[in-house]
Amino acid sequence: MSQGYRVEDPATGTVVEQFDTIADAQLDTVLATAAEAQTAWAAKSIEERAEVIRRVADLFAERKDNLAAIIGQEMGKRVTEGVEEAEFAGDIFRYYADNAARFAADQPIETDGGDAMLQRLPVGVLLGIMPWNFPYYQVARFAAPNLMLGNGIVLKHAEICPRSAAAIQDILVSAGVPEGLYTTVYADHEQIAAAIADPRIAGVSLTGSERAGAQVAAQAGRHLKKAVLELGGSDPYVVLDTDDVAEAAQTAWATRMYNTGQACNSNKRLIVMDDIYDDFVAELTRLAQGMTPGAWADEDESVYQPLSSRPAAEKLVEQLKRARDAGAVLQTGGELAADGAYVSPAVLTDVPVGSEIYYEELFGPVATVFRVSSDDEALRLANDSQFGLGGAVFSTDEARAKRVASGLEVGMANVNTPAGEGAELPFGGVKRSGYGRELGPVGMDEFVNKRLYYVEG
């Protein structure tokens, strides 16, 4: 059951501050104001909009330390990771400020008998429903391209992220974003359903769970609204060969532990060739056993932070129990602390392929490892998933890695790197990982009226 908007220390479970949910009448005012503000914003030139959005980027950079502290308190993110996230959010706003005019430029169409042009125009006010695991980055990749395009935004953040949601709001207001154009609402599920149904909302973007995505997609479809969904992932991370097994395992482990394993595109299934498998698992186990719990402000790499909440930790431990019941082997870790949301980092092997738990996403500090004996087997296993967000393939033979990576059924395939990252690189998946894309040139191509403008010759 929802506990409402609050700051809850994940290390202890103590509720530090609570926030009131918006009243229905206030929400109606927000929607009316947003519609009016969006019309005025869309009338501005894209260059005028860019001046404001560049100031947004500057403020993310200037306030990064404070922003990191806020999300450390809210969801337990390590300080350096919080600073990196705030910087990345600023980079995204700057990327669209610098490139939106080119992305949204009129596109001539060759035709007989007249002049044809494809125009990219805003569609109106959008509803964004954002998650807690990357409180700034997730908002930036939705808000930046759409504000530059001329759309308005009503933003519902995760219930455990009210302070970071308010911090983003303050940055945009301080940068000169017009009143009402971007508004944070502490709304409940019924109010969000009402907003999706409201004709003043033109589309909805959600990053979250499969369950939430299915509900929002159904509501949007019922009211003929476009939706963009970025949902879960169980990304394959294929290690075909390596000159240094320990180093390869250390890279995989560092990737898996980033944000305490709470990333949609984290390497949740490590698929390792049998000749290096035993040493690889042994190194992972050593690394896991060398970690100790600590606070979000602790920068020691051998310290792990809590998960976002006690319920999230309890769910992960319950999944590990079901994995063991199905025949998997828990090499180490997976222990729930007496208090708070700490789960000791775990290494899980021998999960039966095809079992119920095999197809679930493990959202936390768990490295699940599979043994394979050929490239074809590695690819079959990688694609045996209901998700299709990202994937990575590693080999000292780049051509070999490319062959396997080219067969991955994902939205983002990577060779010899855990993930390609940058404001210019599109993000999104296939299968049950959702649909639509954010970031890069295609990030401005979702909530847009691709209007044909035709003049008879």
Side-chain angles (χ1 to χ4, degrees), residues 320 322-330 348-352 357:
L320 289 173
R322 287 195 288 112
R324 294 197 304 273
D325 290 345
V329 176
L330 187 60
L348 186 68
T349 63
D350 303 292
V351 176
I357 191 65

Side-chain angles (χ1 to χ4, degrees), residues 31-374:
L31 295 177
T33 304
E36 183 176 348
Q38 186 274 325
T39 299
W41 179 250
K44 293 180 179 293
S45 70
I46 202 163
E47 290 77 16
E48 290 176 298
R49 295 197 289 267
E51 290 181 12
V52 176
I53 299 306
R54 284 194 188 93
R55 288 198 291 272
V56 172
D58 291 340
L59 288 175
F60 267 100
E62 291 174 15
R63 300 181 184 182
K64 62 184 179 183
D65 292 329
N66 182 57
L67 294 172
I70 290 172
I71 58 177
Q73 295 161 355
E74 285 181 329
M75 48 74 65
K77 190 185 294 281
R78 189 189 296 272
V79 175
T80 50
E81 295 179 8
V83 169
E84 288 172 358
E85 182 182 341
E87 290 174 336
F88 195 9
D91 291 344
I92 292 169
F93 277 100
R94 190 173 310 281
Y95 172 78
Y96 283 105
D98 291 345
N99 293 283
R102 178 165 56 91
F103 295 157
D106 291 347
Q107 180 180 336
I109 301 172
E110 292 186 11
T111 183
D112 295 330
D115 293 326
M117 193 80 67
L118 179 67
Q119 300 175 319
R120 288 177 168 82
L121 306 176
V123 295
V125 179
L126 308 175
L127 175 64
I129 304 171
M130 298 291 109
W132 49 261
N133 57 333
F134 290 91
Y136 305 125
Y137 159 68
Q138 304 277 11
V139 172
R141 70 188 199 190
F142 164 62
N146 284 300
L147 289 174
M148 278 305 306
L149 188 62
N151 291 319
I153 290 173
V154 174
L155 199 290
K156 180 226 176 290
H157 219 314
E159 292 184 352
I160 66 170
C161 291
R163 286 181 181 170
S164 51
I168 298 170
Q169 178 80 52
D170 186 64
I171 284 176
L172 269 67
V173 170
S174 299
V177 170
E179 181 180 358
L181 182 69
Y182 176 103
T183 305
T184 298
V185 294
Y186 298 150
D188 61 29
H189 296 305
E190 290 73 21
Q191 290 171 324
I192 290 303
I196 293 173
D198 194 291
R200 290 168 291 192
I201 292 294
V204 56
S205 177
L206 175 138
T207 298
S209 67
E210 292 176 87
R211 180 172 175 269
Q215 291 175 337
V216 165
Q219 293 166 1
R222 189 178 307 125
H223 300 286
L224 302 179
K225 310 287 178 73
K226 180 173 182 176
V228 167
L229 305 177
E230 196 272 278
L231 309 179
S234 188
D235 288 12
Y237 185 100
V238 182
V239 184
L240 300 175
D241 62 75
T242 177
D243 289 332
D244 189 330
V245 177
E247 183 180 50
Q250 289 158 15
T251 299
W253 182 253
T255 303
R256 189 68 190 99
M257 285 301 297
Y258 193 84
N259 204 31
T260 320
Q262 300 167 117
C264 296
N265 64 327
S266 184
N267 52 338
K268 300 193 179 81
R269 292 180 297 138
L270 308 182
I271 299 170
V272 182
M273 205 59 67
D274 56 2
D275 60 334
I276 58 174
Y277 174 90
D278 290 335
D279 290 342
F280 195 95
V281 170
E283 180 64 13
L284 292 177
T285 303
R286 184 189 71 80
L287 292 167
Q289 291 174 342
M291 300 196 75
T292 56
W296 59 271
D298 197 322
E299 287 301 322
D300 188 330
E301 291 184 0
S302 68
V303 167
Y304 63 93
Q305 279 72 33
L307 274 69
S308 63
S309 67
R310 180 74 179 189
E314 290 173 345
K315 176 183 177 181
L316 182 63
V317 170
E318 185 272 334
Q319 287 178 299
L320 289 173
K321 180 183 182 303
R322 287 195 288 112
R324 294 197 304 273
D325 290 345
V329 176
L330 187 60
Q331 301 288 342
T332 191
E335 297 179 359
L336 179 65
D339 298 305
Y342 290 95
V343 176
S344 58
V347 177
L348 186 68
T349 63
D350 303 292
V351 176
V353 177
S355 63
E356 181 178 288
I357 191 65
Y358 167 82
Y359 291 106
E360 294 184 17
E361 178 182 23
L362 300 183
F363 212 62
V366 179
T368 305
V369 197
F370 298 88
R371 184 197 300 265
V372 292
S373 58
S374 71

Side-chain angles (χ1 to χ4, degrees), residues 400-414:
R400 181 187 183 192
K402 285 180 175 179
R403 283 195 299 272
V404 175
S406 66
L408 292 176
E409 297 169 355
V410 298
M412 301 173 288
N414 303 278

